[in-house]
Amino acid sequence: LLSSNKLPWKFTKKGIQFKKYMIEYVWIKKLRRVNKVSEAKYKRVLLKLSGEALAGEQKTGVNVEVVGKICDKIKEITEMGVEVGIVVGGGNFWRGRNGHQMERATADYMGMLATAMNGLALQDALEARGVHSRVQTAIEMREIAEPFIIRKAEKHLGRGRVVIFSCGTGHPYFTTDTAAVLRATEINADIILLGKAIDAVYSADPKLDPTAEKFDKISYLEVLEKDLKVMDSTATALCRDNNIPLLVFGIADPENIVRAVKGEHIGTLVK
């Protein structure tokens, strides 16, 4: 009876078609994600990627192969049931501090636009892999992305979509590290995963000082007191004030994203 052609609806792979409306099988998708959720230690994460991480060895622009490998691992953790938000930098195109003869605010706004380009590159790679995603920007550009609205972001995350937050905080003088902590706080992320060129937090630059000590765990207070270059001081203080743990790991091996979500011992845990 339900499959009768006389009824005003029909069943499709995507959902139930009723005239011009489509009722999606959202609950079925959620059940499929729950099957693998036991593998993950965290339910919702905020992944912070630098712009350089998308450039690979070429240092500038977007390396499609590198982005593809990162997105393969993002797809893997979404299939484990993890809800993923991403904040991406723009250093592969522009850094505000590079505009030495420019007004600081103008240089910073240019950097925000660079993060939007990286956000679109990530979205394209994710969608090509069948991962539904949304780009939300702190500066309105409605033709290519949604404006940042926390309730819409939470709705997307709850439906298994990856949300990419671009344009930093939308204000000059704040880094994308600060934007990452802000967005993690707003979406109630369990942890911030900070993918960097270096594999952990050290007492000094290990490339310059071979005696540099590697930290497995460290507090935010120690990071601030020792002036360790994990994130800028504003972002570090914001993390400490909101009790959000931070895991610093090397993004050169994208598999570390999966290891981090599973709770394996990698990098440095800051809390």
Side-chain angles (χ1 to χ4, degrees):
L1 177 63
L2 289 175
S3 61
S4 172
N5 293 329
K6 297 180 180 180
L7 295 175
W9 61 72
K10 63 179 179 179
F11 294 91
T12 68
K13 291 183 178 180
K14 187 176 180 182
I16 302 173
Q17 182 75 46
F18 180 74
K19 295 184 178 180
K20 64 178 181 179
Y21 301 102
M22 175 67 74
I23 304 173
E24 295 185 7
Y25 301 131
V26 174
W27 63 276
I28 294 179
K29 295 177 183 177
K30 287 186 177 180
L31 285 176
R32 289 173 179 169
R33 294 201 303 270
V34 167
N35 290 335
K36 294 186 177 181
V37 74
S38 59
E39 299 179 33
K41 181 177 180 180
Y42 307 105
K43 184 179 186 300
R44 179 175 290 182
V45 302
L46 191 290
L47 176 63
K48 169 60 169 67
L49 297 172
S50 65
E52 290 90 338
L54 307 186
E57 295 182 357
Q58 64 194 36
K59 303 299 181 183
T60 59
V62 174
N63 186 311
V64 177
E65 291 185 5
V66 171
V67 173
K69 290 177 181 178
I70 292 173
C71 288
D72 285 338
K73 299 307 171 184
I74 294 173
K75 177 181 179 180
E76 188 172 336
I77 64 175
T78 59
E79 290 175 345
M80 292 164 59
V82 180
E83 297 171 0
V84 184
I86 302 174
V87 169
V88 61
N92 52 327
F93 290 113
W94 176 263
R95 284 188 178 276
R97 64 170 179 260
N98 292 342
H100 301 296
Q101 298 180 356
M102 299 175 65
E103 182 187 3
R104 170 67 187 274
T106 300
D108 283 354
Y109 281 124
M110 290 174 64
M112 293 177 209
L113 297 179
T115 70
M117 290 192 286
N118 284 334
L120 292 173
L122 282 171
Q123 182 186 41
D124 181 78
L126 287 168
E127 294 284 347
R129 287 158 175 77
V131 180
H132 297 299
S133 60
R134 296 290 187 274
V135 176
Q136 290 198 344
T137 58
I139 298 175
E140 285 197 20
M141 41 187 79
R142 291 178 181 271
E143 288 78 10
I144 59 174
E146 297 179 358
F148 171 69
I149 301 173
I150 182 57
R151 293 192 183 279
K152 289 192 72 173
E154 289 181 341
K155 182 178 179 181
H156 291 320
L157 291 167
R159 291 187 172 181
R161 298 167 184 154
V162 174
V163 182
I164 304 162
F165 302 107
S166 295
C167 297
T169 65
H171 302 283
Y173 303 99
F174 292 98
T175 67
T176 51
D177 283 343
T178 301
V181 181
L182 182 62
R183 296 293 179 251
T185 304
E186 290 173 312
I187 67 172
N188 294 311
D190 298 323
I191 193 170
I192 298 173
L193 305 179
L194 182 58
K196 298 178 73 70
I198 195 168
D199 66 337
V201 177
Y202 290 83
S203 58
D205 189 338
K207 294 180 181 179
L208 303 177
D209 183 0
T211 64
E213 177 187 359
K214 178 182 177 181
F215 299 102
D216 292 327
K217 290 184 179 180
I218 192 171
S219 69
Y220 285 116
L221 184 59
E222 289 178 285
V223 170
L224 291 169
E225 288 178 343
K226 296 179 180 180
D227 194 25
L228 301 178
K229 305 302 181 184
V230 180
M231 297 188 294
D232 63 88
S233 58
T234 302
T236 303
L238 192 58
C239 257
R240 180 193 61 183
D241 294 344
N242 289 279
N243 297 315
I244 303 176
L246 171 75
L247 182 65
V248 181
F249 66 95
I251 195 62
D253 180 7
E255 183 65 30
N256 282 336
I257 298 174
V258 180
R259 297 188 185 107
V261 165
K262 289 182 177 180
E264 295 182 17
H265 181 67
I266 61 169
T268 302
L269 180 64
V270 189
K271 59 189 300 185

